[in-house]
Amino acid sequence: MREFSRRRVLQTGVASAALSILPRAGWTQEGNGSETHGLSSFGELKYPPDFKHFEYVNPAAPKGGTLAIQIKQTLGNQNFDTFNTLNVFVLKGDGAAGMAGTFDTLMAGSGDEPDALYGLVAKSVRISDDKLTYRFTLRPEARFHDGSRLTAKDAAFSLNILKAKGHPIFTQLLTQMASAEAESDDVLRVQFTPQRSRDLHLVVAGLPILSERYWQGKDFEAATLEAPLGSGPYKVGRFEVGRFIEFDRVPDYWAKDLPVNVGQNNFDRIRYEYFRDRTVAFEAFKNGTLNFHEESTSRTWATGYDFPAVREGRVKKEEIPNTLPAPIQGWYFNTRREMFKDPRIREALGLAFDFEWTNTNIMFGSYRRTTSFFENSDMKAVGRPSSGELALLEPFRDKLPASVFGEPVMPPVSDGSGQDRQLLRRADELLRQAGCKRDGGVLKLPNGQPFVIEFLDFQPSLQPHTQPFQSNLKRLGIDARSRIVDAAQYQQRLNEYDFDITSRALVGSSTPGDSLRTVYGSQAARTQGGQNLAGIEHPAVDALIETIGWAKSRQDLNVACRALDRVLRSGHYWIPMWFKASDWLAYWDQFSRPETKPRFASGAPGTWWYDAEKAKRIGRG
């Protein structure tokens, strides 16, 4: 249940863009530095050097059983519906779920802290006074699955090849890593550029360690169904391409007794099942093919759990509060398309989506409207800009809309009718101001072409929400239609930015930093396979991302994020969807869990374990 690139890869003070090319203020020469057992964004660590295990785990949790689930978050070349390669580090192919569990990292995250990492392969790290040189001391007992020693040469090889040939996510995250080299078998020296971002050391410490010997003579950028040699708590077991993949726990895993692993990795087998249809997937949960399910469909949550196993108590259903920043979910405009370059057109289309009607009639009133790129957090912009925000925004005043300097842009609130005439009239006015013209029932773009929009997706689950929205667009004279393609074609079209509008939910982060560059930065907009789907290219956005990446305190971070939030919201790059501050979980009653939940995660199912007595009681032992 491990993830690369910090705990959340896609979560993500200077006063002007010019400062982004200068060394961080206050950094001095390398000096002797200091040594530490852990890393964080702001130097704060909850656990001391001699901690035995995280407080939210059961150190005596038994091992055994199978966890059968679906992939719920993707990274790199992974997608939700299929896989055809076990190399998840590159752009080519559709990567298999769960591969992160087969690789170790220099350090591992804590669910009790938003951004802390503690020693895994590296038992400690010495940091230079100028924060540009990190020397990781590796544990001599670290081993790959074939018994060979994991050394600093492997760690250096991994960082260098991910930067040179990895998926664009990795290459962009490592831009400010100047070098990685082995000073000895157990000392890895990583050098950063003076422009390094605040969290780059966390990115480096959280990336997978590959075997240099294994990859010699192999094409790193190729798709493959041969499992790359790893060192993590699990190994690839049985799989059928596009259908399922299993991971078997490594009984003699070299790091099983380290504090960061105690009480975790409790299942003997983790199996990921693939389904192209959510209804079929839910039926698989109902019949026990899946034994843990994180529900994401309000209709199913409200009406779908009246089946025998629930009534008999064999399947449990619960809602767990979630205090993390909400997923950044919405319909994203591809502003590389000429028809979306005018922000007035983008704003007009947003007025046609009636969230109030959709929430009441389709989602059982379960959701709240997303209004911010940092929803459900202190990083969300509210009210007029503070003096700190203004200091960051003023250098770009001539390049920003006036709305940035007032109350933050908010999505409209409709009358709930499904076709609010006042909002549609306002949308029509904006379209006309942007040069669009009606020709009978057809709206034509300023270039005279009919306004046609394709909503691209790989599954039909959002169609009940999208179709009423499209009906309102058609009232404006816009030919709005949906295109459902298979998952592989969908990912390829996203990689090539061959779409008009698509939906995406990006994981929120309590401590955004480097990863924002991969989602909103100008370079990412021009990089094939990047995550900047909207194609945002703006100097203010780039500068604010650097400011966020350099923030020296959480207060500075919040100020910079609020400023960025204002700029992004004023750009109308998306039509925000909805969120809820809780997780919907359903599971067959064959698990037990610790009494304590981690502060910044649900703990499910990563800290849970198979309970043989419970399983026997419900007839699944």
Side-chain angles (χ1 to χ4, degrees), residues 226-511:
E226 177 182 306
L229 180 62
S231 62
Y234 288 89
K235 294 175 65 173
V236 174
R238 298 187 309 131
F239 64 87
E240 291 184 26
V241 172
R243 293 190 59 192
F244 74 88
I245 183 168
E246 293 181 348
F247 296 88
D248 299 327
R249 187 171 60 84
V250 179
D252 58 350
Y253 171 45
W254 74 271
K256 66 181 185 302
D257 296 323
L258 291 181
V260 294
N261 283 326
V262 169
Q264 303 187 79
N265 307 312
N266 298 323
F267 298 102
D268 278 349
R269 181 172 294 108
I270 299 177
R271 179 182 172 106
Y272 288 88
E273 296 275 0
Y274 282 84
F275 300 94
R276 295 183 183 274
D277 184 274
R278 287 192 183 185
T279 301
V280 176
F282 186 60
E283 290 301 317
F285 172 70
K286 290 165 65 175
N287 67 32
T289 300
L290 301 173
N291 55 22
F292 180 91
H293 179 60
E294 185 176 345
E295 186 58 67
S296 58
T297 304
S298 55
R299 179 175 296 276
T300 304
W301 186 253
T303 66
Y305 285 84
D306 185 20
F307 56 91
V310 174
R311 294 193 294 269
E312 295 161 5
R314 294 184 295 135
V315 166
K316 300 293 185 182
K317 175 189 177 192
E318 63 180 298
E319 184 169 358
I320 298 178
N322 188 336
T323 59
L324 290 171
I328 309 159
Q329 181 173 346
W331 285 286
Y332 288 80
F333 298 107
N334 183 0
T335 63
R336 303 169 188 82
R337 297 278 206 253
E338 186 64 34
M339 59 184 167
F340 295 135
K341 289 193 179 298
D342 192 320
R344 292 172 295 186
I345 290 179
R346 304 195 295 267
E347 181 181 359
L349 300 188
L351 292 170
F353 172 56
D354 192 327
F355 166 76
E356 285 68 29
W357 182 91
T358 304
N359 193 36
T360 299
N361 292 276
I362 297 176
M363 301 190 297
F364 297 83
S366 301
Y367 288 87
R368 293 156 57 187
R369 184 73 191 267
T370 297
T371 62
S372 164
F373 287 83
F374 300 96
E375 192 63 70
N376 201 39
S377 78
D378 292 337
M379 298 173 284
K380 174 180 176 178
V382 294
R384 300 184 69 83
S386 66
S387 58
E389 293 170 61
L390 286 173
L392 298 173
L393 295 168
E394 282 292 350
F396 304 96
R397 182 178 280 273
D398 62 338
K399 298 180 176 65
L400 292 170
S403 57
V404 170
F405 298 90
E407 296 285 332
V409 168
M410 296 287 288
V413 177
S414 77
D415 61 11
S417 65
Q419 43 184 293
D420 188 311
R421 293 184 179 182
Q422 183 175 349
L423 293 180
L424 292 175
R425 279 197 296 270
R426 173 58 181 156
D428 183 68
E429 291 172 3
L430 285 169
L431 291 168
R432 293 178 185 277
Q433 291 171 15
C436 297
K437 296 180 180 179
R438 290 291 290 260
D439 184 0
V442 177
L443 184 70
K444 292 190 174 180
L445 292 162
N447 62 8
Q449 295 297 313
F451 202 157
V452 180
I453 301 175
E454 180 181 273
F455 286 70
L456 182 68
D457 210 332
F458 63 94
Q459 56 185 6
S461 57
L462 277 178
Q463 287 303 292
H465 313 72
T466 306
Q467 288 171 351
F469 176 24
Q470 292 173 334
S471 295
N472 278 341
L473 293 175
K474 289 174 181 177
R475 290 184 175 91
L476 295 171
I478 299 170
D479 182 0
R481 57 187 74 164
S482 293
R483 173 67 62 87
I484 310 296
V485 299
D486 66 67
Q489 184 181 355
Y490 175 78
Q491 190 58 53
Q492 181 179 354
R493 289 186 61 174
L494 291 194
N495 289 343
E496 298 173 355
Y497 304 120
D498 180 20
F499 67 92
D500 296 336
I501 294 178
T502 192
S503 61
R504 173 64 64 89
L506 300 174
V507 177
S509 172
S510 299
T511 311

Side-chain angles (χ1 to χ4, degrees), residues 27 39 46 81 116 147 170 184 189 242 335 396 408 485 501-503 553:
W27 284 1
L39 298 171
K46 173 178 178 176
D81 279 13
F170 297 123
S184 65
R189 182 180 188 270
T335 63
F396 304 96
V485 299
I501 294 178
T502 192
S503 61
S553 69

